[in-house]
Amino acid sequence: MTTMLIHHEIFAAHRTAAGHPERPDRYRAVEMALAQSRFDDLLRVEAELAELDVTRYVHSNAYVDALEAARPTDGFVYLDGGDTMMEPSTWEVVLRGVGGTLQAVDSVLDGTAQNAFVACRPPGHHAETERAMGFCLFNNISIGARHAQLKHGLSRVAIVDFDVHHGNGTQEIFYSDGSVVYASTHQMPLFPGTGATDETGVGNIFNAPLRAGDGGDELREAFRDRIIPAVDRFEPELIIVSAGFDAHERDPLGSLSMTADDFGWATRELMAAAERHCEGRLVSVLEGGYDLQGLRESVSAHVDELVRG
């Protein structure tokens, strides 16, 4: 089994205001984790710059055009209160995040790699059709899913999200689209306030909210009772993972109690589902994770399982 790592030094360039949790050190922590000798066999590829038009697969023309027009030449432009911002390097950073996601999808579907991990920042799963929010500008995962359908002819793509925050953007984009299943574990109540079990779309949305303090036992229950059965019924041709590690017990932005071992377990379950339904084809894209030690440990456990197959 070949695991592809898609990365680029530009992902450490997107700066945020002082004290902001979505900071360049996040990418450096991931790079440090994956520099360990046990990851020497990763197929390492630099993220390409996406064409802007691919973002229109899931975002409106008005939104994409306004975001492009908002690019600053210096300082910060704030898009979502104080949470989501752009500075001069941000445009290239987010387009390489999209480009890396598309490369991962292409490589897994053409057989170059069995699975792939895209080590990009900022995250993307809060970005809606017409709104940037929650640190996110473009919804990498959603663009990747639509790309798999439009370029490769897939009819069923499953997205599984284990970030501590609900992926409201991904849910909104596919809420009325039965060709994509979105299944999420997340803390609730917590930002962004979505993700209740009665948010079901056209029967393609499966939310499994967790309570503050929940840990590995509750994650396993949610996967076994709701997440994996939903994926199995759907029989996807590709699984894409919103790999957020801010459910870790050390993370400052949530109150769940996951450990790196829990993320490793979840990864094994998703890989087993991929083996059952889509010849092991799985793409994982980094979302949250804001404690650097927790992020390093969790990414290591996640990619360990991808490599082991």
Side-chain angles (χ1 to χ4, degrees):
M1 175 176 288
T2 303
T3 296
M4 178 176 284
L5 169 65
I6 298 181
H7 66 127
H8 199 288
E9 63 182 5
I10 194 69
F11 293 132
H14 167 62
R15 295 177 293 107
T16 50
H20 197 289
E22 213 306 285
R23 60 205 190 277
D25 282 344
R26 294 187 64 235
Y27 180 72
R28 299 184 185 109
V30 171
E31 286 281 270
M32 182 184 300
L34 299 180
Q36 299 172 80
S37 60
R38 71 180 191 268
F39 297 118
D40 285 349
D41 290 338
L42 288 171
L43 179 58
R44 298 172 185 263
V45 177
E46 288 196 338
E48 297 175 353
L49 195 68
E51 295 288 339
L52 183 59
D53 278 352
V54 301
T55 66
R56 304 179 197 273
Y57 290 166
V58 303
H59 296 292
S60 71
N61 289 332
Y63 173 74
V64 173
D65 293 345
L67 200 61
E68 183 180 27
R71 290 182 295 168
T73 55
D74 58 70
F76 293 110
V77 168
Y78 292 89
L79 305 170
D80 177 33
D83 282 344
T84 310
M85 60 200 71
M86 300 174 68
E87 47 88 14
S89 74
T90 302
W91 195 245
E92 179 179 352
V93 173
V94 295
L95 284 179
R96 286 196 188 273
V98 172
T101 302
L102 301 192
Q103 281 173 268
V105 170
D106 289 340
S107 297
V108 167
L109 292 179
D110 71 17
T112 302
Q114 181 65 55
N115 56 54
F117 179 64
V118 185
C120 61
R121 60 173 286 273
H125 70 157
H126 295 307
E128 297 182 346
T129 304
E130 299 196 13
R131 179 166 63 152
M133 65 181 292
F135 317 159
C136 305
L137 281 75
F138 290 129
N139 196 309
N140 302 315
I141 288 281
S142 297
I143 297 168
R146 190 63 85 209
H147 176 76
Q149 296 177 322
L150 294 174
K151 180 176 180 180
H152 297 275
L154 271 58
S155 57
R156 299 182 311 282
V157 179
I159 298 173
V160 179
D161 188 337
F162 53 67
D163 193 278
V164 78
H165 303 99
H166 182 246
N168 60 290
T170 310
Q171 175 172 291
E172 181 261 345
I173 288 166
F174 295 115
Y175 203 74
S176 300
D177 182 351
S179 72
V180 175
V181 150
Y182 175 68
S184 175
T185 59
H186 48 274
Q187 182 181 332
M188 195 174 183
L190 192 67
F191 177 90
T194 54
T197 55
D198 62 359
E199 297 166 15
T200 58
V202 290
N204 64 321
I205 305 296
F206 299 89
N207 290 312
L210 304 173
R211 297 172 296 181
D214 282 354
D217 289 344
E218 291 79 13
L219 176 70
R220 285 162 171 78
E221 181 180 0
F223 262 60
R224 289 170 178 155
D225 292 351
R226 189 159 178 82
I227 303 301
I228 297 301
V231 172
D232 284 340
R233 288 191 298 271
F234 187 59
E235 298 182 339
E237 297 161 292
L238 174 69
I239 294 176
I240 306 182
V241 182
S242 267
F245 300 104
D246 40 7
H248 192 279
E249 61 187 1
R250 294 179 55 94
D251 203 274
L253 296 194
S255 302
L256 296 182
S257 301
M258 309 306 172
T259 66
D261 288 344
D262 296 323
F263 293 118
W265 177 88
T267 306
R268 289 195 299 276
E269 290 294 302
L270 293 171
M271 292 180 68
E275 286 292 336
R276 289 193 295 274
H277 302 296
C278 47
E279 300 177 339
R281 299 184 299 194
L282 182 147
V283 169
S284 174
V285 182
L286 182 65
E287 299 281 4
Y290 304 98
D291 176 82
L292 300 183
Q293 179 180 327
L295 181 60
R296 287 193 302 270
E297 293 173 357
S298 301
V299 166
S300 296
H302 180 62
V303 178
D304 262 336
E305 297 300 333
L306 296 180
V307 171
R308 286 173 186 160

